Amino acid sequence: MNSRLFHIGMFPWTCLTQLPLYYSVSWPRLVWKKVSFGESSGKFTKHQKPKKQTPQPPSKRRKIVTGTILLYCGLQLFLPYSHFITKGYNNWTNGLYGYSWDMMVHAWDTVLTSIKVTDNTTNQTLYLMPYAFVDNDRWTKHADMAHQFARCIDRNMRQEYAATDRKKMTNFSVHFDIWCSLNGRFLQRIFNPQVDILTTEWSPFKPVDWLLPLLHEFTEMRTKIEHMTRDVHTWSNTSDVLFVADFPGLTLDNYIVPEMDNVTLTILEGSVTYYHDEHPNPIHLTKGQRLPNIPPEFHHVTTTSSTPSSMVYTFVNKTMQTTRNERESINKTPILPLGQEFRHRLDNYVRFFQHVGNSLLYEIYGVPMPRRVRIAPDETTWTKD
């Protein structure tokens, strides 16, 4: 069932093959007795009578083991419904990472992660790289991890400024502006960007007040999103679309790169105010209105309606179009690429024997001794150094 629901490769099949490891050591003999023929069925003969066994009361050890198993089963049945207790771990989905049974059901798409560090003394603003102190972006989807990461930024920045000759930065604030999409919905903020995370409190038993709710009022528009996306993709091979939703009073700061052409902003719900730095005169847009040919620069979109707004960006990626044209002019696909197919198969065989050789060296010497190889410029021919 898992292999049909999730793309997890050979993991479920490997688990199935390893199940006999947990059986009794005599399970092969029992299986052989079941499938073999001509052996005695084990029934009693006429002269043999089964011995009567008096029932023995369960021992104390058996009672303890049975009670422990029942307690464990009851705990596992209760944990998926215990989110009303651990409210601090509830975000757009209930429970912390790896805690809920529906963890693999949700599909996250994180498009923008902005970490703003502001010196409250000099009003200097710094932007931190999202992967400065972490290896992944898992913290962007869980308030408890985001709270810990803010404390990590505080500690590391104080240590860095203390180890250098620069002026110490002791009074600063940390703001997270993270845009995510859950299960094909609109892109929206998950944390309030106006809240200093260092001044907030977090408790596993209290709801997170700086967590922005999931905009369920736009959930029914997922079918419309699919239709509009399919329609935009039919314009050309390089056209794309981006759906965004925002809360009242918040401002979306967006930068259009020069590689984007024919950028158009269309308002689906609510009303917004559009302006950019060179032309500060605001443009008011309401439901159904659009703004074509947005220039490649920073612009700001503020939601002015009392309800959340939803909008869509349509654009053409000129970089993809240029790359595609160059690739089509240089690389012409042959009608019968038999030579290329044989070369790929030969490369796979070479890599296979190299892995086998590495395994043999490991078995002989007891330490990994990989063979040193290099890849030729065409990335297909493997040769020895």
Side-chain angles (χ1 to χ4, degrees), residues 361-381:
L361 292 176
Y362 179 76
E363 292 293 334
I364 295 174
Y365 296 100
V367 293
M369 299 182 63
R371 299 178 60 189
R372 299 179 60 87
V373 297
R374 64 180 177 87
I375 303 178
D378 58 356
E379 296 184 354
T380 56
T381 305

Side-chain angles (χ1 to χ4, degrees), residues 24 70 74 78 117 120 125 139 154 161 164 181 192 202 211 214 256 260 270 275 278 331 347-349 353 373 376 385:
S24 175
L70 293 177
F78 172 74
V117 181
N120 298 323
T125 300
W139 64 272
D154 181 19
Y161 273 81
T164 59
S181 173
N192 192 341
W202 179 86
L211 174 72
L214 185 64
I256 304 298
M260 299 299 175
Y275 64 95
E278 294 186 0
N331 300 327
D347 294 337
N348 293 333
Y349 276 113
F353 286 113
V373 297
D385 279 342

Side-chain angles (χ1 to χ4, degrees), residues 211-238:
L211 174 72
L212 296 178
L214 185 64
L215 295 175
H216 291 284
E217 54 265 36
F218 296 146
T219 302
E220 301 298 331
M221 298 181 64
R222 279 188 288 186
T223 304
K224 184 177 181 180
I225 291 176
E226 294 178 359
H227 291 316
M228 293 184 64
T229 303
R230 195 179 302 112
D231 181 49
V232 172
H233 287 169
T234 58
W235 297 353
S236 66
N237 293 331
T238 58

Side-chain angles (χ1 to χ4, degrees), residues 65-337:
V65 172
T66 304
T68 304
I69 294 176
L70 293 177
L71 179 62
Y72 177 78
C73 294
L75 180 63
Q76 296 301 318
L77 293 175
F78 172 74
L79 286 179
Y81 304 97
S82 63
H83 303 308
F84 67 94
I85 299 177
T86 56
K87 298 179 181 179
Y89 294 107
N90 297 338
N91 302 285
W92 289 355
T93 58
N94 291 330
L96 71 162
Y97 180 81
Y99 184 77
S100 300
W101 65 270
D102 57 352
M103 179 185 65
M104 295 292 293
V105 178
H106 303 296
W108 293 83
D109 185 13
T110 304
V111 176
L112 175 63
T113 301
S114 175
I115 305 175
K116 184 173 68 173
V117 181
T118 304
D119 188 350
N120 298 323
T121 304
T122 61
N123 292 328
Q124 182 183 4
T125 300
L126 304 175
Y127 286 90
L128 190 66
M129 296 294 293
Y131 297 96
F133 306 117
V134 291
D135 296 331
N136 52 61
D137 61 346
R138 190 177 299 166
W139 64 272
T140 60
K141 308 170 187 64
H142 301 275
D144 57 314
M145 297 183 183
H147 190 267
Q148 295 177 10
F149 185 51
R151 298 297 186 274
C152 175
I153 295 175
D154 181 19
R155 181 178 62 255
N156 291 338
M157 290 194 65
R158 292 179 185 274
Q159 293 177 357
E160 181 178 354
Y161 273 81
T164 59
D165 296 334
R166 291 177 294 181
K167 183 179 178 181
K168 292 185 178 180
M169 186 177 177
T170 57
N171 183 16
F172 58 90
S173 57
V174 177
H175 300 267
F176 293 151
D177 192 10
I178 302 170
W179 292 79
C180 299
S181 173
L182 177 63
N183 295 338
R185 293 180 174 87
F186 282 83
L187 281 172
Q188 67 163 95
R189 291 182 170 99
I190 186 172
F191 303 132
N192 192 341
Q194 300 176 348
V195 175
D196 181 11
I197 307 299
L198 294 178
T199 61
T200 60
E201 296 182 357
W202 179 86
S203 172
F205 307 107
K206 295 181 180 179
V208 181
D209 54 358
W210 42 275
L211 174 72
L212 296 178
L214 185 64
L215 295 175
H216 291 284
E217 54 265 36
F218 296 146
T219 302
E220 301 298 331
M221 298 181 64
R222 279 188 288 186
T223 304
K224 184 177 181 180
I225 291 176
E226 294 178 359
H227 291 316
M228 293 184 64
T229 303
R230 195 179 302 112
D231 181 49
V232 172
H233 287 169
T234 58
W235 297 353
S236 66
N237 293 331
T238 58
S239 59
D240 208 345
V241 62
L242 185 65
F243 295 89
V244 182
D246 206 0
F247 293 87
L250 297 183
T251 301
L252 166 64
D253 301 324
N254 194 11
Y255 176 70
I256 304 298
V257 296
E259 290 77 13
M260 299 299 175
D261 189 20
N262 194 18
V263 181
T264 302
L265 174 63
T266 305
I267 307 303
L268 302 179
E269 294 290 341
S271 59
V272 301
T273 299
Y274 169 90
Y275 64 95
H276 52 88
D277 298 335
E278 294 186 0
H279 301 281
N281 296 328
I283 301 176
H284 300 282
L285 301 173
T286 58
K287 179 179 179 180
Q289 294 183 342
R290 63 178 56 191
L291 184 64
N293 299 324
I294 298 178
E297 57 188 5
F298 261 112
H299 68 268
H300 314 279
V301 181
T302 302
T303 301
T304 57
S305 58
S306 59
T307 57
S309 63
S310 62
M311 62 201 81
V312 54
Y313 285 91
T314 57
F315 55 91
V316 175
N317 193 334
K318 294 189 296 184
T319 303
M320 294 179 57
Q321 187 175 7
T322 304
T323 305
R324 182 183 296 272
N325 294 336
E326 293 177 354
R327 188 179 303 170
E328 291 178 355
S329 60
I330 296 176
N331 300 327
K332 295 182 179 180
T333 305
I335 300 177
L336 293 176

